[in-house]
Amino acid sequence: MASMSDRIPTFLALCLLFCCVHGQMNQNYYQKSCPNLQTIVQSVVSQAIGTEARMGASLLRLFFHDCFVQGCDASILLDDTPTFTGEKTAFPNVNSVRGYEVIDAIKSQVEASCPATVSCADIVALAARDSVNLLGGPTWNVVLGRKDARTASLSQAN
Ligand code: HEM
C-alpha cells in the first residue's frame, strides 16, 4: 500500500492540473461568475450604436489599438497620472480613438452585476465583436479570461 509521502507528488500534480484547467481562457470563462456579461455588453453597445452608428467602428478600432501594444490587455484605457503616462496621448490615439465612455458604461453595469470579476480587456474584446455584428457584419466567439494591464507604453503606442 502507498504511504502518505508516496501520494504527495500525485496530489501536487493534481493541484497543478486543476490550476491550469481552472485558469485557462475559454468562451465560458464567466459563465458562473458573471452570467449576464454578454447581455450587458450587447445592450450597451446596441444603445451606443443606436445613438451614433459610427461608434461601432470606433469600438472596433479601440480594440485594435489596445491589442497593438503589448497585447489585448486594456492598457489603452489607463489614464495618465502625475507618476504614470499611459497610451491615450500617443499620436495614433490622441483626439482620434473614441468609445472610452461606452467601455466605462459597460464596466459600470458589469461591476454592479458581478463586482471585481470581469477584466476590462475582455469587455473591450466583446464590445468590438458586438459592434461589428450589430452593424451587419459577422460574429465570432470570443475566448475570455484576459488579464488587465497595470502598465502601458506610450513609446510602443507611438
Ligand atoms: C497599422 C495599420 C492601420 C493604420 C495605419 C490605420 C490608420 C487609421 C487612421 C489614420 C484612421 C483615421 C483615424 C481618425 O480619423 O482619427 C483609422 C480609422 C479606423 N481604423 Fe484603422 N488603421 C490600421 C489598421 C486598422 C485595423 C487592423 C482595423 C480593424 C481591426 C482598423 C479599423 C479602423 C476603423 C474601424 C476606423 C474608423 C474609426 C472611427 O470612425 O472612429 N484599422 N485607421
Side-chain angles (χ1 to χ4, degrees), residues 4 18 37-38 40 61 66 73 84 90 100 103 105 107 111 126 134 137 150:
M4 195 63 173
F18 174 79
L37 170 63
Q38 308 227 9
I40 295 170
R61 184 167 183 246
D66 177 34
D73 59 0
F84 171 84
Y100 296 114
I103 302 299
K107 180 65 172 166
E111 284 300 303
L126 288 169
L134 285 161
R150 291 171 185 274

Side-chain angles (χ1 to χ4, degrees), residues 33-48:
S33 59
C34 198
N36 297 330
L37 170 63
Q38 308 227 9
T39 312
I40 295 170
V41 174
Q42 199 190 44
S43 126
V44 178
V45 171
S46 174
Q47 279 171 33

